[in-house]
Amino acid sequence: MKELSLNIFDISQNSVKAKAEKIEITLDETEETLAITIRDNGCGMTAEQVRNVMDPFFTTRTTRNVGLGVPLLKLAAEQTGGGIRIESVSEKDNPENHGTVIRADFFTKHLDFTPLGDIVSTVTLMIQGAPDIRWIFIHNTGSGSVELDTDELKAVLGDVPLNNYDVIKWIEEYLKEGYADIHYNMGYNL
Amino acid sequence: MKSLAELAAIREKMKDKVILREGTGEIRVVVGMATCGIAAGARPVLNAFVEGVNKEGLGDKVTVSQTGCIGVCQFEPVVEIYESGKDKVTYVKMTAEKAAEVIEKHLKGGKVIGEYTITNAIS
């Protein structure tokens, strides 16, 4: 993947497929590190499935929603000296409280760090593709944070779906302004 | 500055539109957004459809949605077009530029661009 944003897009699709009602994407940046956390309340995975998603060579064909997505994120993190962690509780094991948390840690000064890329377009299109999910996006940077919770938008929008074009544009502009306000340099022309 | 008041205005505007929407012939544009599609460049293709459909005023007739792996990863980015009463059209190796052309010729003009279809790619 050319941008970490694309990895985020890809991993979040697993949460959508896991029938999550809520997906929370958090980016925490310090001077030299970036942590990406994707947390959902979807159907979760068994311990064996978690092992399988980590390694493409151990992936069995019985788990259809598993592919190269997690290994690619793992590679992107490990090549900077970081790594990933997955915690998951399957719906079978705990019908009340299930879901998956994937956390990837990066050392941003490393030569092989993949830039975050166009996170605004990514978040906007993720919402466009799954407008019934509650999306929470929080990006804590060194100079401030950008946050979006689609539940706050829905409270105002009523019956108008989040994938309405005007709403999608609003979300895109809102995020762009958020990044401009904190003078965030994403090495990308917005 | 973007405010929630603008969303309230969108809601007001949409109240009148809901009635217009019914009874129109629907076209569905589906973009493959699995690992294979995303890695091959599907995000700008999806964006081009979302933007282009609106710009051309096709929003009431055409919906743009996303799906997982369609199964022909070597041809990604893949876009499928469903229209009631017609055969599904599968466009392969898409780009934002090709998307603009598909909007113009296919979605607006009703003419399939054979050159970009999977049928053409495998024959």
Side-chain angles (χ1 to χ4, degrees), chain A residues 3 9-10 13 118 122 125 128-129 156-157 164-166 169-170 173 177, chain B residues 1-4 6 8 10-11 13-14 33 35 38 43 50-51 54 64 66:
Chain A
E3 306 171 11
F9 202 145
D10 184 30
Q13 300 300 309
D118 192 352
T122 295
L125 290 171
Q128 191 269 344
V156 181
L157 285 167
N164 169 284
Y165 180 77
D166 291 338
K169 281 321 271 184
W170 186 93
E173 291 303 319
E177 281 185 8
Chain B
M1 191 63 205
K2 289 279 140 191
S3 70
L4 291 172
E6 287 170 311
I10 293 171
R11 184 184 183 174
K13 192 175 107 185
M14 289 312 291
M33 294 301 291
T35 308
I38 292 171
R43 189 185 61 192
V50 171
E51 290 292 337
N54 186 270
V64 181
Q66 305 173 27

PDB file of all heavy atoms in Angstrom, chain A residues 3 9-10 13 118 122 125 128-129 156-157 164-166 169-170 173 177, chain B residues 1-4 6 8 10-11 13-14 33 35 38 43 50-51 54 64 66:
ATOM      1  N   GLU A   3      -0.036   4.288   0.960  1.00  0.00           N
ATOM      2  CA  GLU A   3      -0.341   5.195   2.078  1.00  0.00           C
ATOM      3  C   GLU A   3      -0.895   4.367   3.235  1.00  0.00           C
ATOM      4  O   GLU A   3      -1.647   3.424   3.005  1.00  0.00           O
ATOM      5  CB  GLU A   3      -1.444   6.195   1.677  1.00  0.00           C
ATOM      6  CG  GLU A   3      -1.191   6.988   0.432  1.00  0.00           C
ATOM      7  CD  GLU A   3      -2.446   7.771   0.018  1.00  0.00           C
ATOM      8  OE1 GLU A   3      -3.405   7.852   0.803  1.00  0.00           O
ATOM      9  OE2 GLU A   3      -2.450   8.278  -1.106  1.00  0.00           O
ATOM     10  N   PHE A   9      -8.226   2.058   5.588  1.00  0.00           N
ATOM     11  CA  PHE A   9      -9.440   1.811   4.802  1.00  0.00           C
ATOM     12  C   PHE A   9      -9.682   0.304   4.712  1.00  0.00           C
ATOM     13  O   PHE A   9     -10.777  -0.206   4.997  1.00  0.00           O
ATOM     14  CB  PHE A   9      -9.237   2.403   3.394  1.00  0.00           C
ATOM     15  CG  PHE A   9     -10.515   2.697   2.650  1.00  0.00           C
ATOM     16  CD1 PHE A   9     -10.599   3.802   1.809  1.00  0.00           C
ATOM     17  CD2 PHE A   9     -11.622   1.878   2.775  1.00  0.00           C
ATOM     18  CE1 PHE A   9     -11.768   4.084   1.111  1.00  0.00           C
ATOM     19  CE2 PHE A   9     -12.799   2.150   2.079  1.00  0.00           C
ATOM     20  CZ  PHE A   9     -12.860   3.256   1.240  1.00  0.00           C
ATOM     21  N   ASP A  10      -8.629  -0.421   4.366  1.00  0.00           N
ATOM     22  CA  ASP A  10      -8.722  -1.857   4.158  1.00  0.00           C
ATOM     23  C   ASP A  10      -9.109  -2.595   5.436  1.00  0.00           C
ATOM     24  O   ASP A  10     -10.020  -3.427   5.442  1.00  0.00           O
ATOM     25  CB  ASP A  10      -7.353  -2.340   3.641  1.00  0.00           C
ATOM     26  CG  ASP A  10      -7.361  -3.806   3.288  1.00  0.00           C
ATOM     27  OD1 ASP A  10      -8.435  -4.304   2.898  1.00  0.00           O
ATOM     28  OD2 ASP A  10      -6.304  -4.446   3.387  1.00  0.00           O
ATOM     29  N   GLN A  13     -12.641  -2.240   6.533  1.00  0.00           N
ATOM     30  CA  GLN A  13     -13.613  -3.039   5.773  1.00  0.00           C
ATOM     31  C   GLN A  13     -13.858  -4.383   6.465  1.00  0.00           C
ATOM     32  O   GLN A  13     -14.943  -4.951   6.360  1.00  0.00           O
ATOM     33  CB  GLN A  13     -13.129  -3.284   4.334  1.00  0.00           C
ATOM     34  CG  GLN A  13     -12.904  -2.027   3.509  1.00  0.00           C
ATOM     35  CD  GLN A  13     -14.154  -1.191   3.349  1.00  0.00           C
ATOM     36  OE1 GLN A  13     -15.211  -1.683   2.970  1.00  0.00           O
ATOM     37  NE2 GLN A  13     -14.057   0.080   3.654  1.00  0.00           N
ATOM     38  N   ASP A 118      -3.674  10.467   2.209  1.00  0.00           N
ATOM     39  CA  ASP A 118      -4.918  11.239   2.192  1.00  0.00           C
ATOM     40  C   ASP A 118      -5.955  10.655   3.152  1.00  0.00           C
ATOM     41  O   ASP A 118      -6.902   9.978   2.751  1.00  0.00           O
ATOM     42  CB  ASP A 118      -5.460  11.272   0.763  1.00  0.00           C
ATOM     43  CG  ASP A 118      -6.573  12.287   0.599  1.00  0.00           C
ATOM     44  OD1 ASP A 118      -7.023  12.851   1.611  1.00  0.00           O
ATOM     45  OD2 ASP A 118      -6.997  12.501  -0.549  1.00  0.00           O
ATOM     46  N   THR A 122      -9.974   9.166   2.758  1.00  0.00           N
ATOM     47  CA  THR A 122     -10.206   7.816   3.267  1.00  0.00           C
ATOM     48  C   THR A 122     -11.364   7.763   4.253  1.00  0.00           C
ATOM     49  O   THR A 122     -12.283   6.962   4.099  1.00  0.00           O
ATOM     50  CB  THR A 122      -8.911   7.286   3.929  1.00  0.00           C
ATOM     51  OG1 THR A 122      -7.927   7.159   2.909  1.00  0.00           O
ATOM     52  CG2 THR A 122      -9.128   5.964   4.610  1.00  0.00           C
ATOM     53  N   LEU A 125     -14.724   8.464   2.510  1.00  0.00           N
ATOM     54  CA  LEU A 125     -15.233   7.369   1.683  1.00  0.00           C
ATOM     55  C   LEU A 125     -15.618   6.138   2.508  1.00  0.00           C
ATOM     56  O   LEU A 125     -16.503   5.383   2.123  1.00  0.00           O
ATOM     57  CB  LEU A 125     -14.216   7.010   0.595  1.00  0.00           C
ATOM     58  CG  LEU A 125     -14.049   8.078  -0.497  1.00  0.00           C
ATOM     59  CD1 LEU A 125     -12.870   7.749  -1.402  1.00  0.00           C
ATOM     60  CD2 LEU A 125     -15.318   8.218  -1.341  1.00  0.00           C
ATOM     61  N   GLN A 128     -19.009   6.960   3.506  1.00  0.00           N
ATOM     62  CA  GLN A 128     -19.870   6.857   2.313  1.00  0.00           C
ATOM     63  C   GLN A 128     -20.278   5.396   2.068  1.00  0.00           C
ATOM     64  O   GLN A 128     -21.417   5.113   1.715  1.00  0.00           O
ATOM     65  CB  GLN A 128     -19.111   7.421   1.105  1.00  0.00           C
ATOM     66  CG  GLN A 128     -19.951   7.636  -0.154  1.00  0.00           C
ATOM     67  CD  GLN A 128     -19.967   6.427  -1.089  1.00  0.00           C
ATOM     68  OE1 GLN A 128     -19.148   5.526  -0.981  1.00  0.00           O
ATOM     69  NE2 GLN A 128     -20.929   6.408  -1.988  1.00  0.00           N
ATOM     70  N   GLY A 129     -19.323   4.490   2.278  1.00  0.00           N
ATOM     71  CA  GLY A 129     -19.564   3.076   1.973  1.00  0.00           C
ATOM     72  C   GLY A 129     -20.389   2.343   3.005  1.00  0.00           C
ATOM     73  O   GLY A 129     -20.997   1.321   2.700  1.00  0.00           O
ATOM     74  N   VAL A 156     -28.492  15.574  14.046  1.00  0.00           N
ATOM     75  CA  VAL A 156     -28.974  16.752  13.323  1.00  0.00           C
ATOM     76  C   VAL A 156     -29.655  16.342  12.018  1.00  0.00           C
ATOM     77  O   VAL A 156     -30.652  16.937  11.606  1.00  0.00           O
ATOM     78  CB  VAL A 156     -27.806  17.721  13.014  1.00  0.00           C
ATOM     79  CG1 VAL A 156     -28.303  18.962  12.290  1.00  0.00           C
ATOM     80  CG2 VAL A 156     -27.080  18.101  14.296  1.00  0.00           C
ATOM     81  N   LEU A 157     -29.126  15.305  11.377  1.00  0.00           N
ATOM     82  CA  LEU A 157     -29.593  14.936  10.038  1.00  0.00           C
ATOM     83  C   LEU A 157     -30.919  14.188  10.016  1.00  0.00           C
ATOM     84  O   LEU A 157     -31.609  14.167   9.003  1.00  0.00           O
ATOM     85  CB  LEU A 157     -28.527  14.073   9.343  1.00  0.00           C
ATOM     86  CG  LEU A 157     -27.299  14.824   8.845  1.00  0.00           C
ATOM     87  CD1 LEU A 157     -26.201  13.835   8.472  1.00  0.00           C
ATOM     88  CD2 LEU A 157     -27.641  15.682   7.640  1.00  0.00           C
ATOM     89  N   ASN A 164     -25.541  10.714   1.735  1.00  0.00           N
ATOM     90  CA  ASN A 164     -26.062  11.807   0.906  1.00  0.00           C
ATOM     91  C   ASN A 164     -24.871  12.661   0.460  1.00  0.00           C
ATOM     92  O   ASN A 164     -23.979  12.950   1.261  1.00  0.00           O
ATOM     93  CB  ASN A 164     -27.040  12.632   1.756  1.00  0.00           C
ATOM     94  CG  ASN A 164     -27.450  13.933   1.103  1.00  0.00           C
ATOM     95  OD1 ASN A 164     -26.672  14.880   1.078  1.00  0.00           O
ATOM     96  ND2 ASN A 164     -28.650  13.981   0.576  1.00  0.00           N
ATOM     97  N   TYR A 165     -24.868  13.050  -0.809  1.00  0.00           N
ATOM     98  CA  TYR A 165     -23.683  13.736  -1.333  1.00  0.00           C
ATOM     99  C   TYR A 165     -23.325  15.000  -0.554  1.00  0.00           C
ATOM    100  O   TYR A 165     -22.161  15.240  -0.228  1.00  0.00           O
ATOM    101  CB  TYR A 165     -23.866  14.072  -2.827  1.00  0.00           C
ATOM    102  CG  TYR A 165     -22.661  14.777  -3.401  1.00  0.00           C
ATOM    103  CD1 TYR A 165     -21.513  14.071  -3.729  1.00  0.00           C
ATOM    104  CD2 TYR A 165     -22.663  16.161  -3.577  1.00  0.00           C
ATOM    105  CE1 TYR A 165     -20.393  14.701  -4.227  1.00  0.00           C
ATOM    106  CE2 TYR A 165     -21.545  16.808  -4.079  1.00  0.00           C
ATOM    107  CZ  TYR A 165     -20.409  16.072  -4.406  1.00  0.00           C
ATOM    108  OH  TYR A 165     -19.304  16.711  -4.891  1.00  0.00           O
ATOM    109  N   ASP A 166     -24.324  15.813  -0.229  1.00  0.00           N
ATOM    110  CA  ASP A 166     -24.053  17.056   0.509  1.00  0.00           C
ATOM    111  C   ASP A 166     -23.439  16.761   1.881  1.00  0.00           C
ATOM    112  O   ASP A 166     -22.587  17.506   2.364  1.00  0.00           O
ATOM    113  CB  ASP A 166     -25.338  17.877   0.682  1.00  0.00           C
ATOM    114  CG  ASP A 166     -25.831  18.443  -0.647  1.00  0.00           C
ATOM    115  OD1 ASP A 166     -25.006  18.559  -1.568  1.00  0.00           O
ATOM    116  OD2 ASP A 166     -27.032  18.753  -0.753  1.00  0.00           O
ATOM    117  N   LYS A 169     -19.808  15.681   1.387  1.00  0.00           N
ATOM    118  CA  LYS A 169     -18.977  16.870   1.144  1.00  0.00           C
ATOM    119  C   LYS A 169     -18.733  17.638   2.436  1.00  0.00           C
ATOM    120  O   LYS A 169     -17.637  18.160   2.675  1.00  0.00           O
ATOM    121  CB  LYS A 169     -19.648  17.811   0.128  1.00  0.00           C
ATOM    122  CG  LYS A 169     -19.521  17.415  -1.309  1.00  0.00           C
ATOM    123  CD  LYS A 169     -18.184  16.860  -1.673  1.00  0.00           C
ATOM    124  CE  LYS A 169     -17.167  17.885  -2.120  1.00  0.00           C
ATOM    125  NZ  LYS A 169     -15.928  17.181  -2.553  1.00  0.00           N
ATOM    126  N   TRP A 170     -19.778  17.722   3.257  1.00  0.00           N
ATOM    127  CA  TRP A 170     -19.649  18.417   4.539  1.00  0.00           C
ATOM    128  C   TRP A 170     -18.577  17.739   5.390  1.00  0.00           C
ATOM    129  O   TRP A 170     -17.703  18.405   5.966  1.00  0.00           O
ATOM    130  CB  TRP A 170     -21.004  18.432   5.283  1.00  0.00           C
ATOM    131  CG  TRP A 170     -20.976  19.243   6.545  1.00  0.00           C
ATOM    132  CD1 TRP A 170     -21.314  20.560   6.688  1.00  0.00           C
ATOM    133  CD2 TRP A 170     -20.571  18.791   7.852  1.00  0.00           C
ATOM    134  NE1 TRP A 170     -21.139  20.951   7.992  1.00  0.00           N
ATOM    135  CE2 TRP A 170     -20.691  19.905   8.724  1.00  0.00           C
ATOM    136  CE3 TRP A 170     -20.126  17.562   8.366  1.00  0.00           C
ATOM    137  CZ2 TRP A 170     -20.381  19.820  10.091  1.00  0.00           C
ATOM    138  CZ3 TRP A 170     -19.807  17.489   9.718  1.00  0.00           C
ATOM    139  CH2 TRP A 170     -19.928  18.609  10.558  1.00  0.00           C
ATOM    140  N   GLU A 173     -15.085  18.469   3.993  1.00  0.00           N
ATOM    141  CA  GLU A 173     -14.664  19.841   4.291  1.00  0.00           C
ATOM    142  C   GLU A 173     -14.377  20.033   5.782  1.00  0.00           C
ATOM    143  O   GLU A 173     -13.436  20.715   6.173  1.00  0.00           O
ATOM    144  CB  GLU A 173     -15.749  20.846   3.849  1.00  0.00           C
ATOM    145  CG  GLU A 173     -15.910  20.954   2.346  1.00  0.00           C
ATOM    146  CD  GLU A 173     -14.620  21.342   1.636  1.00  0.00           C
ATOM    147  OE1 GLU A 173     -13.892  22.211   2.165  1.00  0.00           O
ATOM    148  OE2 GLU A 173     -14.321  20.756   0.586  1.00  0.00           O
ATOM    149  N   GLU A 177     -10.849  21.252   7.177  1.00  0.00           N
ATOM    150  CA  GLU A 177     -10.726  22.438   8.027  1.00  0.00           C
ATOM    151  C   GLU A 177     -10.081  22.103   9.359  1.00  0.00           C
ATOM    152  O   GLU A 177      -9.266  22.860   9.880  1.00  0.00           O
ATOM    153  CB  GLU A 177     -12.105  23.065   8.289  1.00  0.00           C
ATOM    154  CG  GLU A 177     -12.600  23.902   7.142  1.00  0.00           C
ATOM    155  CD  GLU A 177     -13.909  24.609   7.474  1.00  0.00           C
ATOM    156  OE1 GLU A 177     -14.340  24.570   8.648  1.00  0.00           O
ATOM    157  OE2 GLU A 177     -14.502  25.178   6.544  1.00  0.00           O
TER     158      GLU A 177
ATOM    159  N   MET B   1     -16.238  28.255   8.491  1.00  0.00           N
ATOM    160  CA  MET B   1     -16.144  27.099   9.405  1.00  0.00           C
ATOM    161  C   MET B   1     -17.375  26.203   9.277  1.00  0.00           C
ATOM    162  O   MET B   1     -18.505  26.686   9.250  1.00  0.00           O
ATOM    163  CB  MET B   1     -16.012  27.634  10.844  1.00  0.00           C
ATOM    164  CG  MET B   1     -15.633  26.587  11.876  1.00  0.00           C
ATOM    165  SD  MET B   1     -14.003  25.888  11.538  1.00  0.00           S
ATOM    166  CE  MET B   1     -14.156  24.300  12.337  1.00  0.00           C
ATOM    167  N   LYS B   2     -17.133  24.920   9.160  1.00  0.00           N
ATOM    168  CA  LYS B   2     -18.228  23.965   9.037  1.00  0.00           C
ATOM    169  C   LYS B   2     -18.988  23.866  10.356  1.00  0.00           C
ATOM    170  O   LYS B   2     -18.400  23.707  11.412  1.00  0.00           O
ATOM    171  CB  LYS B   2     -17.659  22.585   8.695  1.00  0.00           C
ATOM    172  CG  LYS B   2     -17.130  22.503   7.285  1.00  0.00           C
ATOM    173  CD  LYS B   2     -18.246  22.279   6.300  1.00  0.00           C
ATOM    174  CE  LYS B   2     -18.013  23.106   5.075  1.00  0.00           C
ATOM    175  NZ  LYS B   2     -19.147  23.162   4.177  1.00  0.00           N
ATOM    176  N   SER B   3     -20.306  23.964  10.269  1.00  0.00           N
ATOM    177  CA  SER B   3     -21.088  23.878  11.504  1.00  0.00           C
ATOM    178  C   SER B   3     -22.218  22.878  11.324  1.00  0.00           C
ATOM    179  O   SER B   3     -22.609  22.547  10.205  1.00  0.00           O
ATOM    180  CB  SER B   3     -21.667  25.242  11.839  1.00  0.00           C
ATOM    181  OG  SER B   3     -22.663  25.557  10.890  1.00  0.00           O
ATOM    182  N   LEU B   4     -22.738  22.415  12.449  1.00  0.00           N
ATOM    183  CA  LEU B   4     -23.849  21.467  12.407  1.00  0.00           C
ATOM    184  C   LEU B   4     -25.095  22.117  11.812  1.00  0.00           C
ATOM    185  O   LEU B   4     -25.976  21.430  11.294  1.00  0.00           O
ATOM    186  CB  LEU B   4     -24.133  20.927  13.813  1.00  0.00           C
ATOM    187  CG  LEU B   4     -23.045  20.011  14.394  1.00  0.00           C
ATOM    188  CD1 LEU B   4     -23.336  19.694  15.855  1.00  0.00           C
ATOM    189  CD2 LEU B   4     -22.928  18.702  13.612  1.00  0.00           C
ATOM    190  N   GLU B   6     -25.252  23.727   9.158  1.00  0.00           N
ATOM    191  CA  GLU B   6     -25.276  23.416   7.716  1.00  0.00           C
ATOM    192  C   GLU B   6     -25.916  22.051   7.460  1.00  0.00           C
ATOM    193  O   GLU B   6     -26.580  21.845   6.450  1.00  0.00           O
ATOM    194  CB  GLU B   6     -23.841  23.414   7.178  1.00  0.00           C
ATOM    195  CG  GLU B   6     -23.262  24.803   7.061  1.00  0.00           C
ATOM    196  CD  GLU B   6     -21.778  24.750   6.758  1.00  0.00           C
ATOM    197  OE1 GLU B   6     -21.062  24.011   7.450  1.00  0.00           O
ATOM    198  OE2 GLU B   6     -21.354  25.438   5.839  1.00  0.00           O
ATOM    199  N   ALA B   8     -28.265  20.800   9.296  1.00  0.00           N
ATOM    200  CA  ALA B   8     -29.702  21.021   9.473  1.00  0.00           C
ATOM    201  C   ALA B   8     -30.304  21.569   8.181  1.00  0.00           C
ATOM    202  O   ALA B   8     -31.416  21.202   7.790  1.00  0.00           O
ATOM    203  CB  ALA B   8     -29.943  21.974  10.640  1.00  0.00           C
ATOM    204  N   ILE B  10     -29.149  20.956   5.178  1.00  0.00           N
ATOM    205  CA  ILE B  10     -29.197  19.832   4.224  1.00  0.00           C
ATOM    206  C   ILE B  10     -30.468  19.012   4.476  1.00  0.00           C
ATOM    207  O   ILE B  10     -31.174  18.620   3.566  1.00  0.00           O
ATOM    208  CB  ILE B  10     -27.941  18.937   4.365  1.00  0.00           C
ATOM    209  CG1 ILE B  10     -26.683  19.701   3.932  1.00  0.00           C
ATOM    210  CG2 ILE B  10     -28.094  17.658   3.536  1.00  0.00           C
ATOM    211  CD1 ILE B  10     -25.371  18.981   4.229  1.00  0.00           C
ATOM    212  N   ARG B  11     -30.764  18.832   5.756  1.00  0.00           N
ATOM    213  CA  ARG B  11     -31.959  18.068   6.119  1.00  0.00           C
ATOM    214  C   ARG B  11     -33.222  18.746   5.578  1.00  0.00           C
ATOM    215  O   ARG B  11     -34.104  18.090   5.014  1.00  0.00           O
ATOM    216  CB  ARG B  11     -32.031  17.945   7.638  1.00  0.00           C
ATOM    217  CG  ARG B  11     -33.180  17.097   8.121  1.00  0.00           C
ATOM    218  CD  ARG B  11     -33.226  17.111   9.639  1.00  0.00           C
ATOM    219  NE  ARG B  11     -34.285  16.255  10.145  1.00  0.00           N
ATOM    220  CZ  ARG B  11     -34.461  16.001  11.440  1.00  0.00           C
ATOM    221  NH1 ARG B  11     -33.631  16.533  12.329  1.00  0.00           N
ATOM    222  NH2 ARG B  11     -35.435  15.236  11.833  1.00  0.00           N
ATOM    223  N   LYS B  13     -33.447  20.780   3.049  1.00  0.00           N
ATOM    224  CA  LYS B  13     -33.423  20.686   1.592  1.00  0.00           C
ATOM    225  C   LYS B  13     -33.909  19.310   1.111  1.00  0.00           C
ATOM    226  O   LYS B  13     -34.642  19.202   0.126  1.00  0.00           O
ATOM    227  CB  LYS B  13     -31.987  20.934   1.106  1.00  0.00           C
ATOM    228  CG  LYS B  13     -31.845  21.152  -0.383  1.00  0.00           C
ATOM    229  CD  LYS B  13     -30.408  21.505  -0.740  1.00  0.00           C
ATOM    230  CE  LYS B  13     -29.734  20.348  -1.425  1.00  0.00           C
ATOM    231  NZ  LYS B  13     -28.307  20.593  -1.698  1.00  0.00           N
ATOM    232  N   MET B  14     -33.499  18.270   1.866  1.00  0.00           N
ATOM    233  CA  MET B  14     -33.828  16.904   1.448  1.00  0.00           C
ATOM    234  C   MET B  14     -35.306  16.578   1.624  1.00  0.00           C
ATOM    235  O   MET B  14     -35.836  15.699   0.970  1.00  0.00           O
ATOM    236  CB  MET B  14     -32.976  15.900   2.230  1.00  0.00           C
ATOM    237  CG  MET B  14     -31.509  15.897   1.853  1.00  0.00           C
ATOM    238  SD  MET B  14     -31.226  15.842   0.065  1.00  0.00           S
ATOM    239  CE  MET B  14     -31.806  14.170  -0.295  1.00  0.00           C
ATOM    240  N   MET B  33     -13.778  -2.656  -3.096  1.00  0.00           N
ATOM    241  CA  MET B  33     -12.901  -1.988  -2.133  1.00  0.00           C
ATOM    242  C   MET B  33     -12.300  -2.983  -1.148  1.00  0.00           C
ATOM    243  O   MET B  33     -12.194  -2.701   0.042  1.00  0.00           O
ATOM    244  CB  MET B  33     -13.669  -0.898  -1.380  1.00  0.00           C
ATOM    245  CG  MET B  33     -14.117   0.280  -2.238  1.00  0.00           C
ATOM    246  SD  MET B  33     -12.795   1.181  -3.080  1.00  0.00           S
ATOM    247  CE  MET B  33     -11.979   1.965  -1.699  1.00  0.00           C
ATOM    248  N   THR B  35      -8.839  -5.539  -0.176  1.00  0.00           N
ATOM    249  CA  THR B  35      -7.394  -5.283  -0.181  1.00  0.00           C
ATOM    250  C   THR B  35      -6.857  -5.141  -1.610  1.00  0.00           C
ATOM    251  O   THR B  35      -6.107  -4.206  -1.919  1.00  0.00           O
ATOM    252  CB  THR B  35      -6.646  -6.430   0.523  1.00  0.00           C
ATOM    253  OG1 THR B  35      -7.239  -6.638   1.802  1.00  0.00           O
ATOM    254  CG2 THR B  35      -5.173  -6.113   0.686  1.00  0.00           C
ATOM    255  N   ILE B  38      -8.158  -1.790  -3.236  1.00  0.00           N
ATOM    256  CA  ILE B  38      -7.563  -0.614  -2.596  1.00  0.00           C
ATOM    257  C   ILE B  38      -6.091  -0.484  -2.998  1.00  0.00           C
ATOM    258  O   ILE B  38      -5.633   0.594  -3.365  1.00  0.00           O
ATOM    259  CB  ILE B  38      -7.714  -0.699  -1.057  1.00  0.00           C
ATOM    260  CG1 ILE B  38      -9.188  -0.576  -0.660  1.00  0.00           C
ATOM    261  CG2 ILE B  38      -6.890   0.401  -0.375  1.00  0.00           C
ATOM    262  CD1 ILE B  38      -9.466  -0.867   0.814  1.00  0.00           C
ATOM    263  N   ARG B  43      -9.456   3.727  -4.505  1.00  0.00           N
ATOM    264  CA  ARG B  43      -9.990   4.886  -3.775  1.00  0.00           C
ATOM    265  C   ARG B  43     -10.230   6.087  -4.690  1.00  0.00           C
ATOM    266  O   ARG B  43     -11.332   6.655  -4.665  1.00  0.00           O
ATOM    267  CB  ARG B  43      -9.077   5.264  -2.600  1.00  0.00           C
ATOM    268  CG  ARG B  43      -9.718   6.325  -1.690  1.00  0.00           C
ATOM    269  CD  ARG B  43      -8.762   6.795  -0.603  1.00  0.00           C
ATOM    270  NE  ARG B  43      -7.590   7.410  -1.190  1.00  0.00           N
ATOM    271  CZ  ARG B  43      -6.483   7.706  -0.505  1.00  0.00           C
ATOM    272  NH1 ARG B  43      -6.409   7.438   0.778  1.00  0.00           N
ATOM    273  NH2 ARG B  43      -5.457   8.269  -1.100  1.00  0.00           N
ATOM    274  N   VAL B  50     -18.210   9.157  -7.050  1.00  0.00           N
ATOM    275  CA  VAL B  50     -19.019   9.924  -6.096  1.00  0.00           C
ATOM    276  C   VAL B  50     -19.127  11.380  -6.559  1.00  0.00           C
ATOM    277  O   VAL B  50     -20.216  11.963  -6.609  1.00  0.00           O
ATOM    278  CB  VAL B  50     -18.415   9.839  -4.676  1.00  0.00           C
ATOM    279  CG1 VAL B  50     -19.114  10.808  -3.723  1.00  0.00           C
ATOM    280  CG2 VAL B  50     -18.517   8.413  -4.131  1.00  0.00           C
ATOM    281  N   GLU B  51     -17.984  11.953  -6.941  1.00  0.00           N
ATOM    282  CA  GLU B  51     -17.958  13.356  -7.379  1.00  0.00           C
ATOM    283  C   GLU B  51     -18.664  13.544  -8.720  1.00  0.00           C
ATOM    284  O   GLU B  51     -19.478  14.447  -8.882  1.00  0.00           O
ATOM    285  CB  GLU B  51     -16.504  13.841  -7.504  1.00  0.00           C
ATOM    286  CG  GLU B  51     -15.776  14.002  -6.181  1.00  0.00           C
ATOM    287  CD  GLU B  51     -16.332  15.147  -5.346  1.00  0.00           C
ATOM    288  OE1 GLU B  51     -16.947  16.053  -5.915  1.00  0.00           O
ATOM    289  OE2 GLU B  51     -16.157  15.104  -4.116  1.00  0.00           O
ATOM    290  N   ASN B  54     -22.497  13.248  -8.952  1.00  0.00           N
ATOM    291  CA  ASN B  54     -23.150  14.449  -8.430  1.00  0.00           C
ATOM    292  C   ASN B  54     -23.020  15.628  -9.384  1.00  0.00           C
ATOM    293  O   ASN B  54     -23.981  16.335  -9.656  1.00  0.00           O
ATOM    294  CB  ASN B  54     -22.583  14.801  -7.063  1.00  0.00           C
ATOM    295  CG  ASN B  54     -23.347  15.949  -6.463  1.00  0.00           C
ATOM    296  OD1 ASN B  54     -23.002  17.107  -6.653  1.00  0.00           O
ATOM    297  ND2 ASN B  54     -24.443  15.645  -5.789  1.00  0.00           N
ATOM    298  N   VAL B  64     -23.851   5.130  -5.846  1.00  0.00           N
ATOM    299  CA  VAL B  64     -22.482   4.606  -5.863  1.00  0.00           C
ATOM    300  C   VAL B  64     -22.246   3.873  -4.546  1.00  0.00           C
ATOM    301  O   VAL B  64     -22.427   4.462  -3.480  1.00  0.00           O
ATOM    302  CB  VAL B  64     -21.454   5.745  -6.021  1.00  0.00           C
ATOM    303  CG1 VAL B  64     -20.041   5.182  -6.059  1.00  0.00           C
ATOM    304  CG2 VAL B  64     -21.742   6.557  -7.284  1.00  0.00           C
ATOM    305  N   GLN B  66     -19.989   0.421  -2.384  1.00  0.00           N
ATOM    306  CA  GLN B  66     -18.726  -0.317  -2.299  1.00  0.00           C
ATOM    307  C   GLN B  66     -18.989  -1.774  -1.991  1.00  0.00           C
ATOM    308  O   GLN B  66     -19.972  -2.109  -1.342  1.00  0.00           O
ATOM    309  CB  GLN B  66     -17.861   0.275  -1.177  1.00  0.00           C
ATOM    310  CG  GLN B  66     -17.621   1.761  -1.314  1.00  0.00           C
ATOM    311  CD  GLN B  66     -16.905   2.341  -0.094  1.00  0.00           C
ATOM    312  OE1 GLN B  66     -16.173   1.653   0.600  1.00  0.00           O
ATOM    313  NE2 GLN B  66     -17.117   3.618   0.151  1.00  0.00           N
TER     314      GLN B  66
END
